[in-house]
Amino acid sequence: GRLQVPEHIERQADRVCCNIDGLEASWAKRAFQFAEAHAAFLRATPRNARIALTSSDDELYAELKARFPESCTWAKGAVTEDALKNAAAKQKWHAFCTRFESVEDYNMGTLLRVDPELDYTPENTFIAPRVQFLAIEVLRNREGFNDALRAPPKGARLLAPRARCDRRPLAEGADALVFQLQACAVCRAYAPFRCNACKLTRYCSRECQRTDWPEHKKVCKSL
């Protein structure tokens, strides 16, 4: 079933947005809609396929490894809110986020899972800037920490677990499989454009957006 916005997320949204009337519920709802889309994306992506969250994945991964070598010690890619938000970490992450201001919605509040082997639940999520979410999820994808939620390999044998912090080669024939989070709702190609109203559904072109509008308008006005 669809995720419901839990009270702890609404409370965090209230604290962040307490001075902006009408923004709290909308912000929490968008955060959960994005989390819902990300969870469905992971479940649909074969473990031997490449994942592209953004066009800056390589840079996000390299910068994360350079600025946060302790990421090699994260048990199975798990993180805690305190580890990312203590005083020392905040300074380092601020510099990191500023480096990637060009990433779409880089500072938008986004739900980040504590344990990548588990789904989005109130106990397993906290709020982080979008670019922090993306960097950590790129690492989890590339180092196999998200494999527990991903679909079985497609067109190749099951891959053996890789060593922590060691990028695993794709199985034979799998390099043709590339799954993009920013995919067109109609043709599944890379989609740089979003619906101007809901800011969630993506399209590769005006043609695909026009094709999808009869269906999308049924849900877009409710977002």
Side-chain angles (χ1 to χ4, degrees), residues 175-196:
D175 53 355
L177 297 170
V178 180
F179 284 69
Q180 301 187 82
L181 181 62
Q182 296 181 343
C184 177
V186 176
C187 68
R188 309 311 298 168
Y190 172 66
F193 311 112
R194 295 185 292 181
C195 169
N196 285 333

Side-chain angles (χ1 to χ4, degrees), residues 86-157:
N86 63 60
K90 275 186 175 181
Q91 289 187 342
K92 294 174 67 175
W93 276 109
H94 176 74
F96 181 95
C97 293
T98 302
R99 161 83 169 76
F100 291 99
E101 287 183 347
S102 61
V103 172
E104 184 179 84
D105 296 333
Y106 83 101
N107 65 344
M108 179 172 286
T110 305
L111 298 182
L112 176 64
R113 292 170 300 143
V114 174
D115 185 343
E117 294 189 347
L118 301 178
D119 214 331
Y120 287 92
T121 65
E123 299 77 22
N124 195 48
T125 58
F126 61 90
I127 298 170
R130 177 67 56 82
V131 73
Q132 190 177 57
F133 160 88
L134 290 170
I136 292 172
E137 288 296 335
V138 167
L139 178 143
R140 288 170 169 177
N141 292 334
R142 295 192 174 193
E143 298 186 4
F145 298 130
N146 275 333
D147 284 2
L149 296 185
R150 293 175 64 180
K154 190 172 185 179
R157 68 184 184 279

Side-chain angles (χ1 to χ4, degrees), residues 9 32 57 61 71 78 115 131 171 205:
I9 294 300
F32 252 71
D57 282 13
Y61 181 79
S71 63
D115 185 343
V131 73
S205 63

Side-chain angles (χ1 to χ4, degrees), residues 13-24:
D14 286 344
R15 286 197 295 271
V16 173
C17 310
C18 60
N19 294 321
I20 306 177
D21 291 339
L23 186 59
E24 297 87 344

